[in-house]
Amino acid sequence: EAQVTQNPRYLITVTGKKLTVTCSQNMNHEYMSWYRQDPGLGLRQIYYSMNVEVTDKGDVPEGYKVSRKEKRNFPLILESPSPNQTSLYFCASRTVTASSYNEQFFGPGTRLTVL
Amino acid sequence: AQTVTQSQPEMSVQEAETVTLSCTYDTSESDYYLFWYKQPPSRQMILVIRQEAYKQQNATENRFSVNFQKAAKSFSLKISDSQLGDAAMYFCAYSFGPGNTGKLIFGQGTTLQVKP
């Protein structure tokens, strides 16, 4: 089954304790992205990657890191989480073509609480 | 900067009735795409319908259709014959045309309640 998976689905942590949220897709997609969802703000892009070893900042990158060492994986790293990073996080992926825009497939979301 | 605005935080509709969710956007681009996503309580993001800006014809997917007004930068979603399973948060989203970063810019969301 074609899908984007995220782990963990729920996480409660404390300020300053490094954490990683994993994202993996099995569709051989070139493009992957992380979004955060906050009430009244919709979803906002954190980081994206156009392919292996190619990453760039989105609209709200502060406090986050990413890496893309393999095509299927795109982990999100919070090296020193703070309470304002409490949010719902989504990973998404899509294929890239020159002639049309393709649907982004979203993972199931990770609910993160930073105390 | 491109922005997407959904001015209705909450809407309600009676089962089997029709409801329209509003969305406006701002862009200076001529080639772009617009989307409506559904987020049920499971939190999964589900693509409902999409519209390519260069196409005049409004997109339709079964009971879902859009009213795309390019000059007015308006992109509303009409749900006909509403069903209980349509209850969810709906997000309007915008993206640039082909060859760009593929970033989706989302509106704030509209929570739709369907009354039996």
Side-chain angles (χ1 to χ4, degrees), chain A residues 33-105:
Chain A
S33 179
W34 277 102
Y35 295 85
R36 61 176 288 174
Q37 180 180 348
D38 302 290
L41 297 176
L43 284 77
R44 294 175 292 167
Q45 189 183 57
I46 303 170
Y47 269 95
Y48 68 95
S49 171
M50 295 294 287
N51 215 322
V52 176
E53 301 291 1
V54 181
T55 64
D56 207 348
K57 296 177 181 178
D59 293 323
V60 287
E62 295 78 20
Y64 305 95
K65 286 177 59 177
V66 293
S67 68
R68 187 92 181 270
K69 294 183 170 58
E70 303 167 285
K71 196 172 185 179
R72 63 183 294 127
N73 296 324
F74 190 46
L76 179 69
I77 303 157
L78 285 73
E79 297 215 327
S80 184
S82 62
N84 65 11
Q85 293 178 297
T86 292
S87 187
L88 177 60
Y89 291 86
F90 286 98
C91 181
S93 74
R94 72 173 176 93
T95 191
V96 176
T97 66
S99 61
S100 65
Y101 181 81
N102 297 289
E103 176 183 353
Q104 287 203 29
F105 292 85

Side-chain angles (χ1 to χ4, degrees), chain B residues 7 19 32 38 61 87 89 103 114:
Chain B
S7 58
V19 64
Y32 53 88
K38 172 185 178 182
E61 289 287 343
M89 180 167 281
K103 177 172 70 176
V114 181

Side-chain angles (χ1 to χ4, degrees), chain B residues 2 8 13 20 22 24-25 30-32 35-36 41-42 47 52 65 81 83 92 96 108:
Chain B
Q2 291 83 2
Q8 306 155 315
V13 63
T20 298
S22 300
T24 59
Y25 60 95
S30 59
D31 183 18
Y32 53 88
F35 305 82
W36 278 99
S42 66
L47 179 64
E52 294 159 289
S65 61
D81 185 26
Q83 301 174 0
C92 179
F96 305 132
Q108 301 87 338

Side-chain angles (χ1 to χ4, degrees), chain B residues 3-7 22-26 72-76 92 107:
Chain B
T3 58
V4 177
T5 302
Q6 293 177 250
S7 58
S22 300
C23 173
T24 59
Y25 60 95
D26 188 24
K73 296 180 182 174
S74 170
F75 184 61
S76 60
C92 179

